[in-house]
């Protein structure tokens, strides 16, 4: 128990159970208490300021004396406390991590402070993604939940500025929640001279360049998060899965994005969803959604269509655009699959007759990792587009078997 943070002096009825994780901003523990036979669990985040002696020495090397260093770090502590107080105003939003209480503990016999925050216990999104096979609908729901959080932020004139998978959490009922608001942004200031390339991956160009920015930078970052999750965990401009990613690929991708190169659509993804994501992460601010509510409405429309059309389907989700009579069946198995066999132009295979969504599903049931789209000029024709290795039995042969039966 010696390596666990002792909170007995802060909250006497709580006990530290285990270390959940640690990073550049501190450590996170699971804590628990038992009241009249009812056990409760929370997360405890401990942020240490300054992070290390080397950090203090770096400031002194820049010409600061002891008094200036103390004033610098005390100012950071005050900023974090102000951000925590602001977060408590958002505690009623179900899509924002709920902060319960906090203490600022000054170190005894040494320079520095611990900021100890008690908050609801959740699973970090990256861990959740590793343990669960995400579907397209899951990613859309994540986007909607994040928009609900950002709507409240806009009301309170809060810009998160650091939306990324590490700052997204998942509750037991599958609700996605946004966390690490201004706390992470303020603690950035203690990371003197350290790289933040991980954050750059999701950062809006205007933030990266130090230009004036507004709330739509959070919409941009959310767009990049969704793009990556739907693109086999690859950010824009990286080599397609399963090609190996080199260090230079990451650097080049960042340069392309920050210089305004058009982000390519996600291969194999429905056009409607593609257009929504690309609009969210448009290079120019004026080309993006102007509010989280607008993006949420677009995503909700797509999810409602999926739920309505795919209610009775077992192997795929169906998106139907009633304006152009297009039906796209999107694989729900795993997002990691990709085309590994050349099947001709646009990966188009054969066509098979189908009169309804049920018949479309009958085809997809034979090979669940396919995309199916109804061509506008042929009402009764369904075209099969490969998303996974193409089966040896062509869809036309499947249709012939059905006719024979």
């Amino acid at each position: 128990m010696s390596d666990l943070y002792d909170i007995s002096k802060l909250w006497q009825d709580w006990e530290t159970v285990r270390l959940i994780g640690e990073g550049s901003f501190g450590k996170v523990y699971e804590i628990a208490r038992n009241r009249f036979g009812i056990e409760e669990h929370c997360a405890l985040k401990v942020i240490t300021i300054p992070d290390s002696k080397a950090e203090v020495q770096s400031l002194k090397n820049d010409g600061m004396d002891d008094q200036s260093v103390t004033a610098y770090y005390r100012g950071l502590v005050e900023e974090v406390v102000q951000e925590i107080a602001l977060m408590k105003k958002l505690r009623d939003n179900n899509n924002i991590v709920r902060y319960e209480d906090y203490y600022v503990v000054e170190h005894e016999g040494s320079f520095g402070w611990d900021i100890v925050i008690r908050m609801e216990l959740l699973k970090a999104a990256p861990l959740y993604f590793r343990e669960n096979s995400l579907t397209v609908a899951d990613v859309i729901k994540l986007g909607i939940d994040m928009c609900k959080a950002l709507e409240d932020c806009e009301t309170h004139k809060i810009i998160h500025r650091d939306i990324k998978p590490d700052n997204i959490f998942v509750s037991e009922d599958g609700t996605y929640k946004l966390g690490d608001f201004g706390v992470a942004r303020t603690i950035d200031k203690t990371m003197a001279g350290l790289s933040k390339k991980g954050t750059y991956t999701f950062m809006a160009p205007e933030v990266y360049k130090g230009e004036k920015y507004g709330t739509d930078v959070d919409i941009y970052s959310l767009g990049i998060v969704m793009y990556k999750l739907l693109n086999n965990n690859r950010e824009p401009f990286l080599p397609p899965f399963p090609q190996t990613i080199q260090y230079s690929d990451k650097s080049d991708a960042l340069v392309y994005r920050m210089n305004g190169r058009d982000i390519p659509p996600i291969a194999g993804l429905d056009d409607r969803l593609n257009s929504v994501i690309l609009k969210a992460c448009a290079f120019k601010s004026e080309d993006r959604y102007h509010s989280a509510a607008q993006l949420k409405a677009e995503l909700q429309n797509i999810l409602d269509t999926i739920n309505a059309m795919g209610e009775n389907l077992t192997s795929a989700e169906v998106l139907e655009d009633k304006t152009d009579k297009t039906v796209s069946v999107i694989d729900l198995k795993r997002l990691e699959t990709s085309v590994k066999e050349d099947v001709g132009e646009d990966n188009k295979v054969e066509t098979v007759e189908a009169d309804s969504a049920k018949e479309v599903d009958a085809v997809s049931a034979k090979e669940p990792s396919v995309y199916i789209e109804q061509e506008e000029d042929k009402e009764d024709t369904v075209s099969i587009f490969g998303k996974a290795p193409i089966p040896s039995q062509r869809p036309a042969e499947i249709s012939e078997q059905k006719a024979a039966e």
Side-chain angles (χ1 to χ4, degrees):
M1 295 291 289
S2 59
D3 59 335
L4 299 180
Y5 195 85
D6 183 10
I7 59 171
S8 60
K9 294 180 180 179
L10 307 179
W11 296 286
Q12 295 182 0
D13 51 349
W14 287 90
E15 180 183 6
T16 307
V17 177
R18 65 186 178 98
L19 175 67
I20 296 175
E22 57 185 308
S24 58
F25 296 151
K27 298 180 178 181
V28 179
Y29 301 88
E30 179 181 353
I31 61 176
R33 71 178 176 186
N34 191 305
R35 282 184 169 180
F36 303 101
I38 299 175
E39 192 165 287
E40 299 176 69
H41 293 260
C42 277
L44 186 80
K45 186 164 190 172
V46 181
I47 302 169
T48 300
I49 298 179
D51 181 59
S52 66
K53 292 181 179 179
E55 201 178 284
V56 175
Q57 189 59 50
S58 176
L59 292 180
K60 289 184 177 180
N61 291 341
D62 289 338
M64 285 190 181
D65 57 21
D66 289 345
Q67 186 176 357
S68 298
V69 170
T70 300
Y72 176 83
Y73 283 115
R74 187 179 294 277
L76 285 178
V77 172
E78 291 173 356
E79 284 190 41
V80 173
V81 170
Q82 290 171 6
E83 295 284 2
I84 295 172
L86 185 62
M87 283 302 304
K88 294 185 77 171
K89 293 182 179 180
L90 303 177
R91 69 190 309 275
D92 291 332
N93 187 308
N94 194 46
N95 296 109
I96 293 176
V97 177
R98 189 175 66 252
Y99 285 26
E100 302 289 357
D101 201 358
Y102 74 95
Y103 278 98
V104 176
V105 182
E106 189 166 2
H107 293 174
E108 295 181 5
S110 63
F111 173 70
W113 299 264
D114 285 339
I115 301 174
V116 186
I117 309 169
R118 182 162 57 87
M119 60 183 73
E120 65 176 319
L121 182 63
L122 302 163
K123 181 166 288 189
L127 177 59
Y128 179 81
F129 297 156
R130 288 195 296 271
E131 295 176 350
N132 298 271
S133 297
L134 284 185
T135 68
V136 174
D138 288 333
V139 179
I140 296 174
K141 182 182 183 303
L142 179 149
I144 292 171
D145 283 353
M146 290 301 97
C147 284
K148 291 176 181 178
L150 292 179
E151 282 183 289
D152 216 357
C153 292
E154 290 171 358
T155 300
H156 290 83
K157 303 187 185 304
I158 298 173
I159 302 176
H160 190 287
R161 211 197 68 172
D162 197 23
I163 294 178
K164 56 186 178 182
D166 285 344
N167 288 338
I168 298 174
F169 301 85
V170 190
S171 67
E172 289 185 354
D173 65 0
T175 300
Y176 294 97
K177 304 196 177 199
L178 185 58
D180 277 345
F181 276 70
V183 172
R185 184 167 66 251
T186 302
I187 298 302
D188 268 343
K189 299 174 184 177
T190 73
M191 307 293 289
L194 298 183
S195 170
K196 295 188 295 179
K197 286 186 178 178
T199 299
Y200 289 159
T201 299
F202 307 96
M203 187 178 287
E206 55 267 44
V207 177
Y208 180 85
K209 296 176 181 179
E211 299 171 351
K212 184 179 179 181
Y213 58 86
T215 55
D216 63 305
V217 300
D218 286 341
I219 292 174
Y220 178 96
S221 297
L222 176 56
I224 296 295
V225 170
M226 295 184 67
Y227 186 105
K228 182 176 182 178
L229 292 175
L230 291 166
N231 192 42
N232 297 307
N233 210 32
R234 303 285 171 109
E235 302 114 46
F237 304 114
L238 288 181
F241 178 86
Q243 293 182 28
T244 302
I245 300 175
Q246 306 292 336
Y247 176 81
S248 59
D249 294 328
K250 284 272 191 180
S251 300
D252 291 344
L254 179 63
V255 171
Y256 296 153
R257 203 161 49 82
M258 294 305 151
N259 287 338
R261 181 176 292 192
D262 289 339
I263 294 177
I266 300 169
L269 190 66
D270 179 84
D271 288 343
R272 291 175 62 196
L273 186 52
N274 244 327
S275 64
V276 169
I277 292 173
L278 293 179
K279 182 177 175 67
C281 50
F283 178 72
K284 295 181 179 179
S285 174
E286 57 266 30
D287 294 332
R288 299 174 200 148
Y289 293 101
H290 299 305
S291 69
Q294 289 181 337
L295 175 56
K296 183 185 74 173
E298 293 273 18
L299 293 173
Q300 190 64 60
N301 284 339
I302 294 175
L303 187 60
D304 288 345
T305 305
I306 288 175
N307 292 335
M309 294 297 296
E311 202 168 50
N312 300 315
L313 302 184
T314 57
S315 64
E317 280 179 319
V318 177
L319 292 179
E320 180 176 19
D321 188 338
K322 297 180 180 178
T323 60
D324 61 7
K325 299 180 181 178
T326 296
V327 175
S328 302
V329 177
I330 300 178
D331 175 38
L332 282 183
K333 295 288 183 182
R334 291 185 65 84
L335 297 176
E336 289 81 355
T337 57
S338 62
V339 176
K340 296 182 180 177
E341 178 179 336
D342 184 8
V343 292
E345 185 179 355
D346 298 327
N347 293 328
K348 191 170 182 178
V349 188
E350 303 268 349
T351 59
V352 57
E353 299 298 318
D355 296 321
S356 67
K358 287 185 178 180
E359 290 193 26
V360 168
D361 185 53
V363 175
S364 66
K366 297 290 185 180
E367 172 50 51
S369 294
V370 298
Y371 279 79
I372 301 177
E373 184 172 305
Q374 183 173 348
E375 295 181 351
E376 185 177 359
D377 58 341
K378 298 179 181 179
E379 285 190 2
D380 296 324
T381 300
V382 175
S383 299
I384 310 298
F385 296 83
K387 184 175 187 289
I390 304 302
S392 57
Q393 187 182 36
R394 294 300 191 189
E397 296 169 351
I398 295 173
S399 181
E400 290 172 2
Q401 284 186 1
K402 286 178 63 180
E405 291 172 359

